[in-house]
Amino acid sequence: MGVGFRMFIIKFGGSVITDKKQKYTFERSTILRLISEIKEAQKRTLVVHGAGSFGHIMAKEYELHKGYKNEGQIQAAAGVQKDVKHLNLMVLDSFLEIGISAVSLAPSSFVINENGKIKSMDMGSFKRYFDMGFTPITFGDVVLDDAISFSICSGDQLMLELARTFLPEKAIFVADIDGIFSSAPQSDESPKLLPTIDEDIFLSIKKSDSHVDDVTGSIYGKLEIMFEIASLGLETIILNGRVENRLKEALQGKDIVCTKIESRH
Ligand code: IP8
């Protein structure tokens, strides 16, 4: 692999770096703080970010996750690709401003999907840039799809592929909540944060909630991917990026408020 030591892979969820309900709202101060925490922790990372309001709103409107159905989608797909690149450029700028030499790798040029799942992904550039000391950054995108012409490549799927290749010390999902709750925080008066979640607990929560939020699935779809990462024997956590120092302390190996994903496989 060429990577001499283990690094961390981090996903900044779209709900942390944008306001998901309002188009094109970049949470600049939050991302700058999170990047400063990476810098202070002095750890090497590979970073993925979600699309938030730069991708999901239009992707949902034009059903881009379902692949090619009509010509009107072509302009929408081009528009979403442009919008997520725009978001990525702002994330990249933030890294450079904090003093981390990030390079951006757009999935539209190195990922091929099949029925909305990654079929192939060229890891060569990630390895080479990382080995030279850069911090590669990638993001949820619209990509070519061998079965349905084009589809969405989610940041979570990118995390899984990166985890398989780089076997990081930890896979960290930075969200806007403390972790996974015993029931959805909005619908329960006293939801409890689960310090750990295994497949059994996951299935019981999933059964009692049918909420689906965006084109890449509900939190449950994301959790399934997290379980896949955990099943590689990798520490996988979801933490609240809106709370100062949680990310830094997770990188430093401290005990923090979060949910740890535990797979028995
Ligand atoms: O925000 C979705 O990626 P995610 C990408 O990581 C698009 O689920 C283009 C909606």
Side-chain angles (χ1 to χ4, degrees):
M1 179 159 58
V3 175
F5 59 93
R6 293 175 77 188
M7 84 295 286
F8 294 77
I9 59 172
I10 301 174
K11 182 188 176 197
F12 291 135
S15 54
V16 188
I17 62 168
T18 77
D19 175 349
K20 279 192 98 168
K21 286 182 212 84
Q22 262 184 294
K23 247 187 185 175
Y24 310 135
T25 41
F26 181 55
E27 299 282 349
R28 192 175 149 72
S29 55
T30 305
I31 190 97
L32 283 170
R33 177 182 49 76
L34 288 166
I35 298 166
S36 303
E37 291 186 23
I38 297 176
K39 174 114 172 148
E40 283 162 29
Q42 296 183 310
K43 301 289 182 187
R44 295 290 315 276
T45 60
L46 297 176
V47 177
V48 176
H49 67 79
S53 58
F54 287 69
H56 284 275
I57 297 172
M58 194 162 22
K60 193 170 193 170
E61 190 180 335
Y62 287 87
E63 301 195 318
L64 300 183
H65 53 302
K66 296 184 177 165
Y68 182 80
K69 289 170 154 192
N70 60 64
E71 227 168 284
Q73 288 176 306
I74 297 293
Q75 193 165 359
V80 171
Q81 266 199 12
K82 190 261 299 171
D83 286 347
V84 292
K85 276 206 176 82
H86 183 197
L87 171 63
N88 176 251
L89 194 57
M90 292 192 282
V91 174
L92 188 65
D93 263 343
S94 309
F95 270 89
L96 295 175
E97 191 176 322
I98 299 297
I100 294 180
S101 305
V103 284
S104 161
L105 298 168
S108 57
S109 55
F110 63 84
V111 171
I112 300 290
N113 269 3
E114 187 169 58
N115 287 314
K117 296 250 158 67
I118 294 178
K119 181 183 173 190
S120 64
M121 172 167 168
D122 180 8
M123 291 291 175
S125 306
F126 282 91
K127 290 178 190 161
R128 291 178 63 180
Y129 279 117
F130 186 84
D131 283 351
M132 278 188 273
F134 291 96
T135 295
I137 302 184
T138 190
F139 52 90
D141 204 351
V142 179
V143 302
L144 293 169
D145 190 302
D146 278 353
I148 53 175
S149 302
F150 58 74
S151 58
I152 303 289
C153 171
S154 74
D156 302 298
Q157 285 193 49
L158 292 163
M159 286 287 281
L160 174 58
E161 294 310 315
L162 289 169
R164 282 191 177 125
T165 302
F166 287 91
L167 300 174
E169 196 168 324
K170 230 181 242 186
I172 303 175
F173 288 81
V174 180
D176 62 345
I177 46 170
D178 284 348
I180 306 298
F181 287 77
S182 56
S183 53
Q186 316 90 293
S187 62
D188 188 322
E189 309 241 299
S190 57
K192 284 192 184 60
L193 178 71
L194 301 168
T196 60
I197 182 168
D198 62 21
E199 278 102 341
D200 291 340
I201 304 174
F202 169 62
L203 286 175
S204 68
I205 305 174
K206 190 180 169 186
K207 262 194 217 144
S208 63
D209 184 2
S210 57
H211 182 77
V212 171
D213 53 7
D214 57 40
V215 289
T216 46
S218 64
I219 180 68
Y220 304 113
K222 296 177 199 301
L223 266 169
E224 269 160 22
I225 296 184
M226 293 179 204
F227 276 113
E228 276 194 67
I229 297 176
S231 73
L232 300 169
L234 303 172
E235 189 173 338
T236 306
I237 61 169
I238 175 164
L239 60 77
N240 195 342
R242 294 207 189 275
V243 179
E244 269 180 42
N245 292 328
R246 291 253 168 100
L247 176 61
K248 180 167 98 182
E249 290 176 1
L251 290 167
Q252 290 169 331
K254 295 189 180 155
D255 266 344
I256 53 150
V257 174
C258 68
T259 297
K260 191 170 168 189
I261 317 297
E262 280 185 345
S263 171
R264 287 203 223 88
H265 303 295

